[in-house]
Amino acid sequence: MLFVPLHKSLLAPLAFVLLFSAARCSDSRSTSAAEIQGEVDSICKEVANVREAAFASRVIASEQGPDDFRRYVQGVLDEDLPAAEGVAKSKVLALIGLVPEKTDLRRTVMDLTTKEAAAYYDPKTGRFFLVKKNLPDMFRRITCAHELAHALQDQRFHLRTFVEPRKFSEDEEFARRCLVEGEAQFVSMRWLLGLPGRASAFTDAELAEQMTLSRDMLWKNDFLAGDMKESLKKSLGDAGSDLDEQDKALGAAPLFFRRSLIDPYFIGGTFVAKAKEGKGWAGVDACYEKPPRSSEQILHPEKFLGEKPDEPVAVSMPGEKEAEDADTLGEFAIECLLEEGLRAAGKGRAEARKAAEKAAAGWGGDRYALRKDGRLVWRIVWDSPQDAKEFQEAFSQVLKARFPRSEDFEALLIKGADGKGIDPAASTIGSGFSGDSLAAALHWTGNSVAFAAGSGTDARTLWTFAKEALAANPSEEKAK
């Protein structure tokens, strides 16, 4: 999943906390290092009270200029997403269709991260850094609360190893990041509602509902627009003067980047509220001891928190060990892929979102492999043949809009027992798609779909690769 340095506060999600609570921001003022440290010490006690857990040690606070922050992000990026790995993953995302061709993943992440961040917590040093110095008092405090929630997580659960790059699949790493960012967002909302003069009668379920509404509001207008942007500017005061530039940068990024950056605050917060329901904070602690394994479990908390969690299927790919890159994308990435693709195919924003969510649901597991010859093969296993059929139909629409030419190589459509429609368990469809320099193929049979793409080859050859991936017989055992 999209690499983003963990434990940082982004302007928009935290500003929504203020809008949601109707909090008023006083003008920004100059604060000394001693004042910031005193504020951090005070908020640490309040965050610990909200989270019902104690800090093991004091969190040291500092201010950091934009140049130093950029150097910090560059250092983390070099460690967690080295240049060669960044090039390979950029190729993968482009071949699948999540980003335009020739997208530079590392540069995009660097630009988005450095423009959006207000503050961050560094688990390596255990320090809190305030990046934007002209924040209104209340916004600075809510930023502190969010970051100090990360500090408390780190002292209790060791964040650097909890979300360790390359230790987990991209999808599993994203699920863990949703837990971490979602809890910090949830705690900061609870902290704000607990301040004097605030109405703290909101239940956890009501807070979760507000997070869902906030997320929907963000994406309704492709991040920020109109009255929403003006409200945020008013809340941020002087700190909102560059919101237009930040919104422009985020709005120009592919949907996958935008949602990977923002959604963990909201879908993660909703997940945390569900985990806390009936069990208190012990239910959230249990998620760190046995974390969610997939974005599917975050998007559908009942698939993780139920008596029998719906664990991802372990899918293997032929030639994976020799591949330039191999990983798992997960339901969240598929949803982003279909949503943006269906909009390009002519569907409206709301219609595309609804159709993408429906077609991505029922994900069982997936695996892609980027061969050294530049060709990509991706296999997705679904919970049922019907789920596979729904994805195949939606993705075919996306590919027909993406490529100027398409053709069917195989179409075995068996009627259902009722004589209406087709029997997804007995049907097969294989299709090819071609452009000037790129070709792709899609093959569906049973509960599996395979996709292949590459340049310097033809769609029929890629269709052969897709069928070979389906014949590889991945393990149907649930991941342990």
Side-chain angles (χ1 to χ4, degrees):
M1 198 58 62
L2 173 64
F3 162 87
V4 184
L6 254 178
H7 339 305
K8 65 183 181 340
S9 290
L10 301 178
L11 287 176
L14 294 186
F16 263 98
V17 176
L18 299 179
L19 290 181
F20 149 70
S21 65
R24 292 184 178 180
C25 293
S26 59
D27 293 336
S28 58
R29 61 184 176 85
S30 177
T31 51
S32 67
E35 287 177 311
I36 293 174
Q37 184 64 62
E39 190 168 70
V40 165
D41 290 341
S42 175
I43 294 176
C44 270
K45 296 177 183 178
E46 296 164 353
V47 165
N49 183 56
V50 170
R51 187 55 175 85
E52 299 178 7
F55 281 87
S57 59
R58 188 187 194 194
V59 179
I60 304 301
S62 301
E63 288 186 325
Q64 187 174 81
D67 291 340
D68 286 337
F69 176 60
R70 192 172 184 86
R71 280 191 286 271
Y72 165 77
V73 175
Q74 185 67 62
V76 176
L77 194 60
D78 289 342
E79 183 177 344
D80 293 351
L81 188 68
E85 187 176 332
V87 170
K89 291 196 178 297
S90 296
K91 291 179 184 177
V92 169
L93 298 181
L95 286 169
I96 288 175
L98 280 162
V99 304
E101 289 186 65
K102 299 183 180 179
T103 294
D104 186 329
L105 176 59
R106 281 166 52 91
R107 177 177 295 178
T108 302
V109 170
M110 170 67 77
D111 289 345
L112 289 176
T113 302
T114 53
K115 284 177 179 170
E116 289 292 320
Y120 72 97
Y121 170 76
D122 180 11
K124 279 191 173 182
T125 62
R127 298 172 70 100
F128 162 78
F129 291 94
L130 183 65
V131 178
K132 285 193 175 291
K133 301 179 182 180
N134 61 340
L135 294 174
D137 286 353
M138 181 54 73
F139 196 90
R140 185 183 64 253
R141 296 185 70 204
I142 191 69
T143 298
C144 286
H146 184 99
E147 293 309 309
L148 294 174
H150 283 319
L152 184 56
Q153 291 168 337
D154 186 37
Q155 292 187 10
R156 302 181 70 222
F157 304 114
H158 309 290
L159 290 183
R160 188 62 183 167
T161 55
F162 185 77
V163 193
E164 185 177 340
R166 293 184 294 279
K167 182 178 180 181
F168 311 102
S169 73
E170 293 177 5
D171 189 46
E172 185 172 355
E173 182 274 332
F174 180 77
R176 288 177 174 236
R177 182 155 60 85
C178 286
L179 171 60
V180 170
E181 289 294 356
E183 187 203 333
Q185 185 80 338
F186 186 90
V187 168
S188 62
M189 291 182 79
R190 272 281 173 234
W191 170 86
L192 181 63
L193 292 171
L195 293 178
R198 303 270 184 263
S200 58
F202 283 91
T203 65
D204 290 344
E206 289 170 334
L207 279 183
E209 182 179 357
Q210 288 298 327
M211 288 186 173
T212 299
L213 290 174
S214 296
R215 173 182 176 238
D216 291 345
M217 195 183 303
L218 267 175
W219 302 127
K220 183 178 180 180
N221 293 300
D222 281 340
F223 186 47
L224 300 177
D227 293 341
M228 186 191 309
K229 184 187 292 186
E230 294 308 311
S231 296
L232 287 176
K233 283 183 178 180
K234 187 175 180 180
S235 293
L236 290 168
D238 293 341
S241 61
D242 56 354
L243 194 60
D244 285 327
E245 181 183 349
Q246 295 164 8
D247 181 32
K248 183 178 179 180
L250 194 58
L255 179 70
F256 175 59
F257 283 0
R258 301 199 302 273
R259 289 192 56 185
S260 294
L261 195 66
I262 302 295
D263 275 23
Y265 290 78
F266 299 113
I267 60 176
T270 301
F271 176 87
V272 166
K274 292 289 186 181
K276 188 172 179 284
E277 195 174 274
K279 299 180 180 179
W281 286 111
V284 180
D285 290 345
C287 294
Y288 285 92
E289 295 166 4
K290 188 178 179 181
R293 300 293 308 276
S294 67
S295 58
E296 177 190 46
Q297 294 176 335
I298 296 292
L299 291 166
H300 312 280
E302 71 281 0
K303 293 192 174 186
F304 178 76
L305 301 170
E307 292 184 7
K308 187 177 180 181
D310 185 358
E311 298 290 0
V313 173
V315 179
S316 61
M317 291 295 293
E320 181 177 320
K321 292 183 179 180
E322 295 76 34
E324 187 176 347
D325 185 38
D327 218 317
T328 299
L329 287 178
E331 181 177 336
F332 176 83
I334 292 173
E335 187 180 303
C336 292
L337 170 68
L338 296 179
E339 181 182 350
E340 188 156 52
L342 290 172
R343 286 179 61 178
K347 290 186 181 293
R349 184 181 292 112
E351 184 184 8
R353 167 62 66 88
K354 184 177 180 180
E357 290 177 346
K358 184 176 186 298
W363 174 91
D366 76 76
R367 195 73 175 172
Y368 71 76
L370 177 64
R371 295 160 42 121
K372 291 185 178 180
D373 61 9
R375 299 172 186 176
L376 175 93
V377 183
W378 178 35
R379 174 171 183 165
I380 312 100
V381 176
W382 298 88
D383 290 342
S384 71
Q386 179 61 31
D387 291 320
K389 174 177 175 290
E390 291 175 359
F391 169 74
Q392 184 272 336
E393 291 174 342
F395 197 25
S396 290
Q397 292 180 53
V398 171
L399 293 171
K400 287 178 180 178
R402 179 182 170 192
F403 292 91
R405 298 179 296 279
S406 65
E407 57 184 318
D408 289 334
F409 296 133
E410 181 178 354
L412 178 63
L413 305 178
I414 306 300
K415 286 186 177 182
D418 58 0
K420 299 178 180 179
I422 66 171
D423 179 0
S427 300
T428 296
I429 296 178
S431 305
F433 309 86
S434 304
D436 292 337
S437 60
L438 189 69
L442 189 66
H443 192 81
W444 158 55
T445 184
N447 70 334
S448 292
V449 177
F451 170 77
S455 57
T457 187
D458 61 274
R460 184 171 287 277
T461 299
L462 291 168
W463 178 53
T464 301
F465 290 146
K467 290 195 296 180
E468 288 175 353
L470 292 183
N473 295 320
S475 169
E476 294 298 330
E477 295 182 3
K478 294 294 184 178
K480 298 180 179 180

